C-alpha cells in the first residue's frame, strides 16, 4: 500500500483487507462500472515512472476542469491489476447522472470499446473480484440492480433506458467483458463475479 495525498494505491489483497475494516456511514446500493476511455492502455504504459499517481493527478485535473470539486470516482483500477482509492467512500461520486447518491463509482483505466484495448488478465481479475467484494461488503445481490454500467443510463434524464434507446455513452465499453448491454453483463460478467466471490 502506498499513499500520495488522498490517493491510496493497493494490490487486490490489500484492498480486500482495507474494505473489510472499513466502517461506512453512507448507504451503498449501486456499484458503477466505467472505463476511462482516455487515458487508455497506451497512454498508461507510456509513463514509465509514478504512472499510477501521475495519472490520478491528471484525471483529477481534467475532472476539475469539467467543474467537479475533485476526482469523480471512488476507485480506479489499472491495467496491471493494481487499484486506487480516489474520492473518499463517504463522498458521493460524480459517476452517473441520477445514480450517484448511493453509488460507488469505479473507473477502469482503458478504452474497452470494440477493437480498442484488450483487457489484461490481471485487470479482468481485479475488476471481477472488486465487484464481488463490494457486493459482499454492502450486502448486495450479484445482479444488474446492484452492478451497473454507465451505458444503461440516459445522459440527459439520468434514468435507466432500454437498450438502443435514449442518449447513452458506450462506457464501460462495447467490448467490456464481451459487451456493454445488460444482457451481456448477465451472460458474461455476473457469472465471473459470482465465481470470484466463491474463490475469496
Ligand atoms: Zn462512464
Amino acid at each position: 500500500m502506498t499513499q500520495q495525498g488522498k490517493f491510496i494505491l493497493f494490490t487486490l489483497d490489500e484492498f480486500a483487507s482495507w474494505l473489510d475494516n472499513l466502517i461506512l456511514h453512507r448507504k451503498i446500493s449501486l456499484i458503477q462500472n466505467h472505463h476511462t476511455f482516455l487515458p487508455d492502455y497506451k497512454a498508461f504504459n507510456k509513463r514509465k515512472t509514478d504512472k499510477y499517481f501521475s495519472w490520478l493527478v491528471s484525471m483529477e485535473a481534467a475532472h476539475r476542469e469539467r467543474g467537479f470539486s475533485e476526482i469523480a470516482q471512488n476507485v480506479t483500477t489499472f491495467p496491471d491489476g493494481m487499484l486506487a482509492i480516489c474520492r473518499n467512500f463517504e463522498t458521493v461520486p460524480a459517476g452517473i447522472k441520477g445514480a450517484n447518491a448511493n453509488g460507488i463509482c469505479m473507473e477502469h483505466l482503458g478504452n474497452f470499446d470494440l477493437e480498442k484495448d484488450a483487457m489484461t488478465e490481471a485487470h479482468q481479475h481485479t475488476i471481477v473480484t472488486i465487484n464481488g467484494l463490494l457486493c459482499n461488503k454492502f450486502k448486495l445481490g450479484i445482479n444488474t440492480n446492484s452492478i451497473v454500467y454507465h451505458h444503461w443510463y440516459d445522459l440527459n434524464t439520468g434514468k435507466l433506458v432500454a437498450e438502443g434507446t435514449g442518449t447513452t455513452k458506450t462506457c464501460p465499453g462495447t467490448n467490456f467483458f464481451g459487451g456493454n448491454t445488460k444482457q451481456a453483463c448477465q451472460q458474461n460478467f455476473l457469472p465471473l463475479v459470482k465465481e470470484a466471490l466463491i474463490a475469496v
Side-chain angles (χ1 to χ4, degrees):
M1 185 202 112
T2 42
Q3 184 158 5
Q4 194 174 300
K6 69 183 159 196
F7 300 121
I8 313 173
L9 183 71
F10 290 114
T11 63
L12 192 53
D13 284 349
E14 288 168 343
F15 172 77
S17 30
W18 176 87
L19 187 66
D20 219 21
N21 292 317
L22 179 72
I23 297 166
L24 198 68
H25 303 286
R26 192 162 69 91
K27 179 182 161 15
I28 303 300
S29 57
L30 278 183
I31 310 299
Q32 305 177 4
N33 287 275
H34 301 260
H35 69 162
T36 56
F37 187 78
L38 271 177
D40 58 8
Y41 273 22
K42 196 174 154 199
F44 176 74
N45 290 322
K46 224 189 271 173
R47 289 191 187 170
K48 296 296 173 208
T49 55
D50 191 31
K51 52 188 170 183
Y52 310 103
F53 292 112
S54 78
W55 273 118
L56 296 174
V57 169
S58 299
M59 281 190 269
E60 173 150 73
H63 292 172
R64 282 217 169 104
E65 251 168 57
R66 282 161 54 189
F68 300 146
S69 57
E70 59 167 325
I71 195 161
Q73 68 265 33
N74 302 107
V75 176
T76 305
T77 70
F78 292 100
D80 58 2
M82 296 292 282
L83 64 139
I85 302 300
C86 300
R87 193 179 273 220
N88 191 294
F89 271 39
E90 290 289 8
T91 311
V92 171
I96 301 177
K97 181 176 176 176
N100 289 316
N102 301 110
I104 289 288
C105 170
M106 283 194 286
E107 286 277 358
H108 308 303
L109 193 149
N111 176 356
F112 303 114
D113 281 338
L114 275 170
E115 291 173 19
K116 301 298 181 184
D117 293 330
M119 193 186 284
T120 65
E121 271 182 37
H123 204 181
Q124 288 178 34
H125 178 66
T126 286
I127 292 171
V128 159
T129 308
I130 193 175
N131 271 274
L133 290 172
L134 290 168
C135 283
N136 205 22
K137 172 77 179 179
F138 301 113
K139 302 189 168 37
L140 307 174
I142 298 177
N143 55 52
T144 52
N145 295 325
S146 0
I147 293 180
V148 298
Y149 294 173
H150 197 180
H151 173 64
W152 306 343
Y153 290 82
D154 188 285
L155 296 173
N156 300 317
T157 65
K159 297 240 182 325
L160 282 164
V161 286
E163 182 58 28
T165 67
T167 307
T168 62
K169 277 183 145 180
T170 63
C171 180
T174 48
N175 198 29
F176 183 79
F177 290 85
N180 62 359
T181 64
K182 206 174 260 193
Q183 196 187 16
C185 177
Q186 283 160 342
Q187 281 176 358
N188 308 329
F189 188 61
L190 298 184
L192 297 175
V193 176
K194 285 178 192 158
E195 261 175 49
L197 212 46
I198 294 165
V200 165

